[in-house]
Amino acid sequence: MNDIIEPLLRFLTLHPNLGLLMSAALTSTAVVCVAWALALQLQRRSARARVLVWRITLVTLLVLAGWRLMPEAPSPVVMEWQVTLPVSTLETLPKRPALILPEKTWWQRGLGGLEDSGVTLWLGIAAVLFLWRTVSAVAGLIWLRKHSEPAPALILRRLRESAAPEHLRCLLAERLHSPMLTGWRRPVIWLPQEAVNWDEKRLGAVLRHELAHLQRADVLWHWLSQLTSCLWWWQPLVWQARRRLRTETEHAADDAAVLAGGDTHDYARTLVEIAAGIPNRLRQVAGVTMFGGEPVQQRVRELMR
């Protein structure tokens, strides 16, 4: 065992940036694995408990990344003096043989480049990825605003009956496949244009679902999970943690919608009917969509359970 540990410690001492990346990978893996084990233990509890686990996990990963990437204290100042020696003294000094270093192999050059620019590459790709997602989401939101119209009085009346806050708006948008909630301080519920033809049960189920997202600040956590996954872009387990948070968030909203005044079977039927006309993949959005994550069959089984 010492034959493995000693060379590894020597390598990490000579390459501190690679050691930082390795330490970050091991620590983030441990955090996600512990969260996954805890979520499995809570599988028979409410989805709200599992949402809390994954929210704490994302916050921990953000703190961990900030701690790992925090700049170190500046190195101590080294002062040098030049001493002029007489020529006779220089001639008596022994001559050292020239030191010829062997040429580095391709993998040694690769490790050297990763050592020199590993942290910069980590942060650079994270910044570009988060900027791209933000611009894409904002562009989609601008398009929705240009192709939307206020909801009719029937939907607004149903929304007020659901005890929605006064500052909440409801808009109908073209080519919108899934109901969606955007905004935090100025929230907006987006509905497909065919929502004007929905019956009272379907409309009430959708509005209760979106109001549950609003009450639990899921839009804020949606963007926090985006930031975390972009920051840990090279860690696949973090992307799995983000996916689990999204799944459990939808389960918690489903539970809240049923508890707020709906029948489980009617609500499950509503999920299936709305999901029937939705494509398998939805493009990046600026808020929390009702569909587009976990298959609706699993959500129905979770409701029945």
Side-chain angles (χ1 to χ4, degrees):
M1 182 64 70
N2 291 335
D3 296 338
I4 299 176
I5 295 178
E6 289 182 1
L8 179 61
L9 292 177
R10 191 180 306 112
F11 175 82
L12 296 179
T13 303
L14 296 175
H15 303 85
N17 284 340
L18 291 178
L20 183 147
L21 294 176
M22 184 179 299
S23 175
L26 293 176
T27 310
S28 60
T29 299
V31 169
V32 177
C33 289
V34 169
W36 213 296
L38 185 57
L40 289 177
Q41 292 294 325
L42 298 174
Q43 195 63 36
R44 295 187 177 275
R45 301 290 296 274
S46 67
R48 293 180 60 183
R50 297 190 296 274
V51 169
L52 180 60
V53 169
W54 291 114
R55 285 182 175 182
I56 294 175
T57 302
L58 289 182
V59 173
T60 304
L61 290 170
L62 276 179
V63 173
L64 177 62
W67 174 52
R68 292 297 183 186
L69 297 174
M70 186 180 301
E72 298 181 357
S75 57
V77 178
V78 178
M79 301 182 65
E80 298 181 356
W81 287 270
Q82 292 184 353
V83 179
T84 304
L85 298 177
V87 178
S88 58
T89 305
L90 294 176
E91 292 177 354
T92 58
L93 293 176
K95 295 183 179 180
R96 297 182 179 180
L99 181 61
I100 301 177
L101 297 176
E103 185 179 356
K104 294 182 178 180
T105 60
W106 63 270
W107 66 270
Q108 289 176 333
R109 291 194 296 268
L111 285 178
L114 188 60
E115 168 66 21
D116 296 335
S117 59
V119 176
T120 304
L121 184 66
W122 179 357
L123 289 177
I125 295 181
V128 171
L129 185 58
F130 185 71
L131 179 63
W132 175 77
R133 291 200 166 208
T134 303
V135 171
S136 175
V138 172
L141 189 59
I142 293 175
W143 187 92
L144 282 177
R145 291 186 182 278
K146 291 182 178 180
H147 298 80
S148 64
E149 59 184 10
L154 176 63
I155 296 180
L156 294 179
R157 178 178 58 81
R158 190 68 180 84
L159 185 63
R160 301 312 170 198
E161 291 175 355
S162 303
E166 293 295 331
H167 62 285
L168 176 64
R169 294 189 299 159
C170 186
L171 300 176
L172 302 181
E174 297 179 5
R175 297 183 350 192
L176 180 66
H177 299 288
S178 170
M180 180 176 63
L181 175 71
T182 61
W184 182 43
R185 300 183 62 181
R186 297 178 179 178
V188 179
I189 292 179
W190 303 84
L191 298 176
Q193 284 191 328
E194 57 267 21
V196 295
N197 300 322
W198 288 352
D199 56 23
E200 286 286 333
K201 289 185 178 180
R202 181 181 300 188
L203 183 60
V206 171
L207 293 180
R208 289 194 304 270
H209 182 96
E210 299 305 324
L211 286 175
H213 282 312
L214 178 63
Q215 293 168 358
R216 297 176 52 80
D218 287 334
V219 174
L220 179 63
W221 285 99
H222 166 78
W223 279 104
L224 190 65
S225 66
Q226 292 273 26
L227 176 61
T228 306
S229 59
C230 291
L231 190 57
W232 290 93
W233 55 270
W234 52 271
Q235 172 58 282
L237 289 179
V238 176
W239 291 85
Q240 289 293 330
R242 175 178 173 267
R243 188 173 294 111
R244 292 309 306 170
L245 174 62
R246 181 180 180 183
T247 298
E248 300 298 349
T249 297
E250 293 303 322
H251 287 168
D254 290 339
D255 294 345
V258 172
L259 293 175
D263 180 77
T264 302
H265 293 83
D266 290 340
Y267 185 83
R269 188 180 302 109
T270 298
L271 289 180
V272 175
E273 291 174 352
I274 298 179
I278 295 179
N280 293 330
R281 291 184 61 87
L282 296 176
R283 67 181 188 85
Q284 188 65 32
V285 294
V288 182
T289 56
M290 188 174 179
F291 297 93
E294 187 181 30
V296 69
Q297 295 87 346
Q298 298 184 21
R299 292 173 63 178
V300 170
R301 284 197 295 268
E302 182 72 14
L303 276 174
M304 294 297 103
R305 184 179 66 82

